[in-house]
Amino acid sequence: LREKMEKETLKRSYSMEVDFIEKCADQGKCNKILQYLHDNPRSSPALVTLALENIGNSLSLAHGIFESPNSSREDQKLNDNWGNILTIAVMTNHAADSTVQLAALRAIWSIVALNSQYAAEFAFRGNGLVVLDTTMKRYRHEKQIQEYGAGIASCLSSDKNQAMLLLCSCNGTMVERLVDALYFNSCSALKALFRLLVASQQSEMSPDNLIGAIGNCTNQRGGGDILSNATDTIFGVIYDCPKHTGVQIWGCRLLSALFSDERLLTSSVTESQHNSISALISNVLDHLEVILSSENPRAVHESAICLLSRISDCSDDLLAGKEEAFSRVVDGIILAQPKSRTVAIHGCHCISNVLHIRENTSTVLSSIMADFEDEEVANIAMNSVATLTKMGFQHTLTLLQSNDTLISLIVG
């Protein structure tokens, strides 16, 4: 009888706690849920998970919590200790429970994704980054944990100071965690790595450690140079997910950042580098030609043309023999997105750098000059025409004869 009564008491207690958590969520009282987790860190995993899952619901009902973190309404501001509650009180006490870890990461992501102040608090207060690193390492084969962990990192890395902290945190192992997430073709990992690489390029810190970590992701053979390995790694992710818009956008952006490396802008690359990068450029062109169509979102085309613009800056020997394919892809993107200023500017840059006249070239340049009232864009297109005409009389004749409109636009 005593055992039965104890079970009934536990059952009622559990039911009351569930009702309390759900009531707090319905009323948008996130801080009360956080206080519950603080006071009951060793509650059953089921209750802790329920509380964590309701944090997002409660936040969405707390009017202005993200838009006005400095609001005078105290009930709209998160507890200053929220990061430590979720990481130390919850994640550390339930380190062996993957369900709790996933729910905690999702809750943290829901907070840092919508407010930069809370992202800064998580980055600079307490041991949040250490716990994040530990969890991603322990559950490196859990796809959802890797995706949410990388998602948190991508939010933090949107600020340069936080990006630099991520690069240096845990002796640089957070970068390794993001590279591990690439195994699952994580879009968030691509976004975070792009932001970290840009931050390192804009600082005095050498990006080689980051580039090397990316290259080590899939290079199990050993050997090779870090830049070739890194570009191969990122292209592999892009190639594996041709229909994933986010992967295509952030993968192209990360490749663009890698191709800004000064070693590729000169002829000083080694023979091994040359062969590897040259083959990669061919693969990128083939891939873009297959996936790019007018049905793709503008952002995909814009990321792709920015990548091609970077590639067009490479030394001539890396582009030798690829001029026709390169120009074909560039023309296709410009014609698919005739109203995009980004596509027009970077497309003209590509045309000027890769001096190859196709049947569509004059049509492409004419459309840019005619469709944009923007004087800067028109001048860039005119400069591309001027650059192409320097190739010689026959090239000038071919360019002008293929489209009468181009002549009138130049004269006009």
Side-chain angles (χ1 to χ4, degrees):
L1 180 61
R2 182 178 178 181
E3 184 178 344
K4 183 178 180 180
M5 291 178 64
E6 288 178 349
K7 286 183 178 180
E8 287 296 325
T9 301
L10 288 173
K11 186 176 180 180
R12 283 196 301 272
S13 176
Y14 183 88
S15 179
M16 290 174 63
E17 291 187 56
V18 169
D19 290 342
F20 171 78
I21 293 168
E22 292 180 343
K23 183 178 180 180
C24 289
D26 291 340
Q27 295 177 351
K29 295 181 177 179
C30 182
N31 281 329
K32 284 197 172 183
I33 298 178
L34 288 168
Q35 191 62 45
Y36 169 83
L37 291 170
H38 177 270
D39 296 338
N40 303 278
R42 297 186 183 276
S43 289
S44 69
L47 279 173
V48 171
T49 300
L50 178 66
L52 291 168
E53 290 175 344
N54 275 281
I55 285 178
N57 297 334
S58 64
L59 287 174
S60 65
L61 294 174
H63 303 293
I65 188 167
F66 290 122
E67 291 78 5
S68 305
N70 296 317
S71 169
S72 59
R73 290 184 57 188
E74 292 299 320
D75 60 327
Q76 290 185 2
K77 294 168 62 178
L78 282 184
N79 185 319
D80 288 341
N81 201 35
W82 70 267
N84 281 335
I85 292 173
L86 294 179
T87 54
I88 305 301
V90 174
M91 296 179 72
T92 301
N93 279 303
H94 296 270
D97 193 307
S98 62
T99 302
V100 172
Q101 298 298 306
L102 175 59
L105 290 177
R106 188 184 290 121
I108 294 169
W109 174 82
S110 71
I111 295 171
V112 300
L114 296 177
N115 184 280
S116 59
Q117 177 176 315
Y118 296 135
E121 289 177 0
F122 183 81
F124 292 105
R125 288 184 187 174
N127 295 311
L129 293 180
V130 175
V131 176
L132 177 62
D133 177 85
T134 301
T135 299
M136 292 184 71
K137 182 178 182 180
R138 180 169 187 163
Y139 294 97
R140 64 189 303 176
H141 300 300
E142 297 284 342
K143 180 177 180 179
Q144 285 189 298
I145 286 180
Q146 293 300 310
E147 183 62 35
Y148 276 103
I152 293 169
S154 72
C155 293
L156 302 182
S157 61
S158 62
D159 175 86
K160 183 180 178 181
N161 291 330
Q162 292 165 196
M164 296 305 296
L165 180 63
L166 273 174
L167 280 170
C168 301
S169 65
C170 308
N171 295 319
T173 56
M174 265 308 301
V175 172
E176 295 178 17
R177 302 290 83 80
L178 293 171
V179 172
D180 288 340
L182 290 179
Y183 178 80
F184 298 104
N185 296 329
S186 168
C187 176
S188 294
L190 289 171
K191 185 188 299 187
L193 288 169
F194 164 73
R195 289 170 170 170
L196 294 179
L197 180 56
V198 171
S200 66
Q201 290 172 336
Q202 293 175 347
S203 70
E204 296 180 358
M205 178 184 292
S206 171
D208 280 358
N209 288 338
L210 175 57
I211 295 173
I214 296 172
N216 288 334
C217 177
T218 56
N219 181 41
Q220 304 299 326
R221 304 182 307 275
D225 70 281
I226 61 171
L227 189 56
S228 300
N229 293 339
T231 51
D232 283 344
T233 296
I234 302 308
F235 176 73
V237 177
I238 296 174
Y239 182 81
D240 287 343
C241 304
K243 295 183 179 181
H244 193 302
T245 299
V247 167
Q248 296 304 310
I249 291 172
W250 289 102
C252 283
R253 290 181 182 180
L254 181 49
L255 271 182
S256 296
L258 289 168
F259 268 99
S260 67
D261 194 288
E262 291 184 0
R263 286 166 287 195
L264 299 179
L265 306 181
T266 66
S267 300
S268 61
V269 294
T270 65
E271 183 178 353
S272 174
Q273 280 182 316
H274 178 278
N275 294 337
S276 178
I277 298 296
S278 178
L280 174 70
I281 293 174
S282 296
N283 290 334
V284 167
L285 293 174
D286 291 342
H287 174 72
L288 293 180
E289 191 163 19
V290 170
I291 70 160
L292 290 176
S293 64
S294 58
E295 289 76 29
N296 272 296
R298 173 184 287 192
V300 175
H301 288 95
E302 290 180 343
S303 296
I305 200 69
C306 288
L307 170 58
L308 293 173
S309 181
R310 286 290 191 187
I311 291 177
S312 74
D313 289 328
C314 290
S315 58
D316 292 341
D317 53 340
L318 284 172
L319 296 170
K322 306 175 184 65
E323 295 86 356
E324 171 64 25
F326 190 96
S327 299
R328 187 168 59 244
V329 176
V330 170
D331 290 354
I333 294 175
I334 295 174
L335 293 174
Q337 297 293 342
K339 301 300 181 181
S340 170
R341 189 174 189 274
T342 298
V343 168
I345 290 174
H346 288 280
C348 287
H349 183 76
C350 291
I351 291 172
S352 296
N353 280 355
V354 182
L355 303 177
H356 185 81
I357 298 177
R358 298 180 64 252
E359 184 177 346
N360 281 337
T361 303
S362 58
T363 302
V364 166
L365 291 172
S366 296
S367 67
I368 293 174
M369 295 168 68
D371 292 344
F372 286 89
E373 296 180 359
D374 188 324
E375 185 175 347
E376 180 186 1
V377 176
N379 287 339
I380 290 173
M382 190 75 77
N383 287 336
S384 294
V385 174
T387 301
L388 291 172
T389 58
K390 291 179 181 178
M391 296 169 64
F393 176 77
Q394 187 58 48
H395 291 295
T396 303
L397 194 62
T398 302
L399 184 67
L400 298 179
Q401 284 183 337
S402 56
N403 193 314
D404 294 337
T405 306
L406 185 60
I407 300 177
S408 61
L409 287 168
I410 294 172
V411 174

